[in-house]
Amino acid sequence: MFPSRKIGLLILACFLCRWAPVQAQKVVLCDSFSQLEKHIQPYLDAQHTVVINFWATWCSPCVEELPYFEELHRQYGDEKVEVVLVSLDFKSYHEKRVIPFVRDNKVSADVLHLTDMETNEWMPKVHPSWDGALPFTVVVRGDRREAFAEKFKDFAELDTFVRPFLVSSQSASSAHNGSAKK
């Protein structure tokens, strides 16, 4: 192949790579809480630690802490830790705010968009202490469930909250069963 042809092909390849669409993280729309449960249940059945963060694009504290969950997802992805980000934005925001937000911020954790407005029905199922304020995080492993009802100040605080769930010892986990922190 002639050198000028190689250079031309190289330039074409660079051009095509530059303009190729970036694979965006899929945002799963859940119109009901039962749909959300169906997406999370396989992780629970597999005895994974599941970190579920409830947030919204309009919630500044929520947006500020999302990078900590992304870091958690990167650090513990190989240790049976699943990070699930549940957007509580209005359904009308799905295409115009939630999907662009996830794409623009390169979110790699699982993102579910829950639009079930019957909050009084499903919030107690998430955690009995939840009053609806955002952000709200719950960590679940087996029968153990613990909630954090405010913004994490940094990654270290989130990591400290999740780390006890990584211990498989039942005796270590029973001390925190069902509690909520504020």
Side-chain angles (χ1 to χ4, degrees), residues 13-91:
C14 290
F15 177 78
L16 291 175
C17 289
R18 168 69 174 98
W19 295 106
V22 176
Q23 182 67 24
Q25 169 67 22
K26 184 177 178 184
V27 178
V28 177
L29 184 62
C30 299
D31 289 322
S32 68
F33 186 73
S34 62
Q35 288 177 333
L36 178 95
E37 288 178 307
K38 287 178 187 172
H39 286 282
I40 295 172
Q41 194 60 47
Y43 300 135
L44 298 174
D45 291 344
Q47 292 298 306
H48 289 201
T49 297
V50 184
V51 180
I52 308 166
N53 176 255
F54 292 86
W55 66 286
T57 59
W58 48 262
C59 169
S60 294
C62 301
V63 171
E64 289 171 17
E65 73 175 3
L66 282 179
Y68 312 147
F69 289 94
E70 280 295 295
E71 181 63 25
L72 191 77
H73 177 67
R74 279 190 294 278
Q75 281 197 17
Y76 293 116
D78 295 336
E79 296 183 42
K80 293 187 175 183
V81 175
E82 305 298 334
V83 176
V84 180
L85 304 174
V86 180
S87 168
L88 295 180
D89 284 277
F90 294 116
K91 187 173 186 174

Side-chain angles (χ1 to χ4, degrees), residues 57-181:
T57 59
W58 48 262
C59 169
S60 294
C62 301
V63 171
E64 289 171 17
E65 73 175 3
L66 282 179
Y68 312 147
F69 289 94
E70 280 295 295
E71 181 63 25
L72 191 77
H73 177 67
R74 279 190 294 278
Q75 281 197 17
Y76 293 116
D78 295 336
E79 296 183 42
K80 293 187 175 183
V81 175
E82 305 298 334
V83 176
V84 180
L85 304 174
V86 180
S87 168
L88 295 180
D89 284 277
F90 294 116
K91 187 173 186 174
S92 63
Y93 287 7
H94 186 73
E95 296 289 333
K96 65 183 179 184
R97 290 187 73 172
V98 179
I99 290 174
F101 179 91
V102 169
R103 180 193 60 233
D104 295 348
N105 289 283
K106 298 175 178 64
V107 175
S108 61
D110 289 345
V111 180
L112 305 175
H113 183 187
L114 178 61
T115 60
D116 186 339
M117 300 301 289
E118 301 297 325
T119 55
N120 290 335
E121 296 293 320
W122 58 261
M123 276 194 325
K125 295 176 185 176
V126 172
H127 198 278
S129 72
W130 191 15
D131 62 5
L134 295 178
F136 187 82
T137 303
V138 63
V139 181
V140 182
R141 182 174 183 136
D143 292 335
R144 185 170 172 217
R145 177 180 304 246
E146 190 167 332
F148 193 87
E150 59 187 55
K151 175 183 157 296
F152 289 97
K153 65 181 177 192
D154 54 27
F155 173 75
E157 185 176 35
L158 173 59
D159 187 51
T160 300
F161 181 66
V162 172
R163 192 170 291 277
F165 284 83
L166 304 180
V167 178
S168 60
S169 155
Q170 196 65 319
S171 62
S173 67
S174 64
H176 299 295
N177 191 18
S179 64
K181 293 189 176 185

